[in-house]
């Protein structure tokens, strides 16, 4: 009975509607985060590999700051600098690992446009984050508002926002959960609960900046996750491959996750299917929780993969940050051909 009640509580917490555990207001300032190192497996502390991933380290993150937690999106550097975004519109910067931090740890609310300042705090349900290293700009997907906004370097201000009719057709309680920027400047958004008649998840391919009014209508796509799972975040590995973290909640195991790779078709026509191929599954006795954020970094020519969990600001969940090395994956790009746009 206790497990059934926990599952019911978690199912309610996954809805973006406001609940008492979310912080109502956060003041910008310093952030102190403690990181406790964890083995990948609770029964085999020496285990260092799961699927196609080599485990490099994992931490349970804690902070006395009431705004910390609820993390739904992530950006990471090879040196261990982490930029995290909560589902309450709160940015958190901190460092993990033995290297030197490149900035001071901080916590701050996302900037808002003057015309949006009267929106209630719970409306800033930010679930997705992506980045352009060439311009130092970020894009954020908001689930309840069903909008995508672009932010100036350093999150100094909001530069542009747009609501798309295609996204308005997705359920507000399962809208923009994943947003990835491809190296060629295109964007892919994936719905958590917007479904096609055959059970695939609706997705959109934008030819350019999805926050700009001049960007043409997106191409509708379909994402097929591993069976029983729902996508919670995505990041571009290169111009032909996506990495997607997918979540499942069951009575037996509570939260489990799969990390999957998608080989993008050479030509993405309307209705094209993006089929996920599982690289690793995170389930007990391995570290498992409500994983909602995924990021990549580069170290010594190798690709590092990071995932982070959303604790929903609840005492019975954890903020887990895991770091893996991605085994070499053959590129689906034939003969180095340029991908048509």
């Amino acid at each position: 009975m206790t497990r059934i009640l926990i599952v019911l509580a978690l199912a309610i917490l996954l809805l973006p509607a406001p609940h008492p555990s979310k912080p109502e207001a956060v003041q910008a300032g310093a952030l102190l985060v403690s990181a406790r190192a964890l083995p990948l497996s609770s029964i085999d502390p020496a285990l260092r590999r799961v699927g196609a991933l080599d485990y490099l380290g994992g931490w349970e993150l804690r902070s006395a700051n009431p705004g910390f937690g609820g993390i739904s999106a992530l950006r990471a550097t090879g040196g261990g600098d982490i930029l995290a975004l909560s589902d309450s519109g709160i940015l958190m910067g901190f460092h993990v690992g033995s290297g030197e931090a490149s900035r001071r740890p901080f916590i701050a609310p996302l900037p808002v446009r003057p015309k949006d300042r009267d929106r209630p705090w719970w409306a800033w349900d930010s679930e997705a984050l992506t980045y352009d290293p060439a311009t130092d700009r970020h894009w954020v997907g908001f689930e309840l508002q069903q909008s995508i906004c672009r932010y100036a370097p350093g999150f100094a201000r909001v530069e542009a926002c747009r609501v798309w009719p295609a996204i308005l057709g997705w359920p507000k309680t399962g809208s923009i959960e994943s947003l990835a920027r491809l190296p060629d400047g295109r964007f892919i958004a994936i719905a958590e609960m917007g479904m096609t008649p055959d059970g695939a998840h609706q997705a959109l391919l934008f030819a350019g900046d999805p926050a700009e009014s001049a960007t043409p209508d997106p191409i509708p796509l379909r994402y097929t996750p591993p069976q029983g799972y729902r996508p919670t975040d995505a990041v571009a590995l290169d111009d032909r491959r996506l990495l997607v973290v997918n979540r499942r909640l069951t009575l037996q195991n509570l939260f489990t996750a799969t990390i999957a790779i998608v080989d993008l078709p050479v030509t993405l026509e309307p209705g094209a299917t993006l089929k996920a191929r599982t690289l690793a599954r995170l389930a007990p006795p391995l570290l498992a929780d409500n994983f909602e954020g995924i990021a990549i970094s580069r170290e010594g020519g190798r690709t590092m993969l990071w995932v982070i969990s959303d604790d929903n600001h609840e005492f019975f969940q954890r903020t887990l940050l895991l770091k893996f090395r991605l085994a070499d994956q053959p590129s689906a790009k034939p003969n180095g051909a340029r991908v048509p746009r």
Side-chain angles (χ1 to χ4, degrees):
M1 178 61 70
T2 300
R3 183 171 286 264
I4 292 174
L5 291 175
I6 290 175
V7 170
L8 290 174
L10 289 171
I12 293 171
L13 289 173
L14 292 180
L15 298 175
H19 52 83
S21 60
K22 282 190 175 184
E24 293 194 20
V26 169
Q27 297 295 321
L31 177 67
L32 179 61
V33 176
S34 65
R36 181 171 69 93
L38 300 171
L40 176 62
S41 170
S42 62
I43 62 174
D44 182 6
L47 183 67
R48 307 299 296 180
R49 188 173 179 88
V50 53
L53 304 179
D54 294 321
Y55 183 64
L56 300 183
W59 304 266
E60 180 182 1
L61 306 177
R62 292 184 178 181
S63 175
N65 191 305
F68 182 81
I71 296 172
S72 293
L74 181 68
R75 214 190 103 203
T77 68
D81 287 326
I82 302 297
L83 179 67
L85 178 64
S86 83
D87 56 10
S88 301
I90 299 169
L91 285 168
M92 291 158 270
F94 53 92
H95 182 85
V96 295
S98 58
E100 292 293 326
S102 65
R103 62 170 175 250
R104 293 181 179 179
F106 73 91
I107 188 168
L110 283 171
V112 298
R113 299 176 296 182
K115 67 178 183 179
D116 294 329
R117 288 174 183 164
D118 291 334
R119 288 180 183 263
W121 62 269
W122 50 262
W124 300 102
D125 186 31
S126 43
E127 294 284 351
L129 174 71
T130 193
Y131 175 67
D132 177 14
T135 64
D136 194 31
R137 284 174 166 82
H138 293 81
W139 287 257
V140 173
F142 294 95
E143 190 167 49
L144 278 175
Q145 296 181 35
Q146 297 181 296
S147 65
I148 299 173
C149 294
R150 186 183 72 242
Y151 293 81
F155 283 94
R157 66 184 185 282
V158 183
E159 291 187 333
C161 291
R162 186 168 178 182
V163 177
W164 292 88
I167 294 177
L168 289 175
W170 296 351
K172 279 192 174 183
T173 54
S175 183
I176 307 171
E177 192 78 16
S178 306
L179 181 66
R181 182 186 182 276
L182 301 176
D184 62 9
R186 296 177 298 166
F187 290 73
I188 292 179
I190 306 174
E192 182 186 9
M193 295 177 67
M195 312 292 284
T196 62
D198 61 354
H201 290 256
Q202 295 180 1
L204 297 170
L205 174 69
F206 297 89
D209 184 347
E212 277 296 334
S213 59
T215 299
D217 289 344
I219 295 173
L221 305 174
R222 301 146 37 92
Y223 170 71
T224 304
Q227 187 173 3
Y229 286 82
R230 295 184 183 275
T232 55
D233 201 11
V235 64
L237 182 58
D238 53 37
D239 59 3
R240 287 291 307 282
R241 295 176 295 178
L242 286 179
L243 294 173
V244 185
V245 60
N246 305 269
R247 171 184 65 201
R248 181 168 67 178
L249 176 62
T250 64
L251 185 61
Q252 180 179 3
N253 290 320
L254 299 181
F255 282 114
T256 61
T258 61
I259 298 168
I261 191 169
V262 175
D263 295 320
L264 301 178
V266 174
T267 303
L268 284 168
E269 300 290 350
T273 297
L274 311 180
K275 185 172 178 57
R277 174 166 51 90
T278 298
L279 297 178
R281 181 172 179 264
L282 298 173
L286 304 185
L287 291 170
D289 212 298
N290 179 28
F291 288 109
E292 288 204 15
I294 189 170
I296 61 171
S297 63
R298 310 288 183 182
E299 294 180 29
R302 301 298 299 272
T303 299
M304 306 300 155
L305 185 149
W306 306 72
V307 292
I308 198 164
S309 66
D310 175 0
D311 69 348
N312 291 303
H313 299 281
E314 294 294 345
F315 70 91
F316 53 84
Q317 291 184 262
R318 296 185 291 177
T319 299
L320 299 179
L321 176 65
L322 310 185
K323 181 182 181 182
F324 299 93
R325 181 172 52 237
L326 180 64
D328 292 335
Q329 296 287 316
S331 174
K333 187 174 178 180
N335 302 320
R338 185 177 182 274
V339 182
R341 297 190 60 177

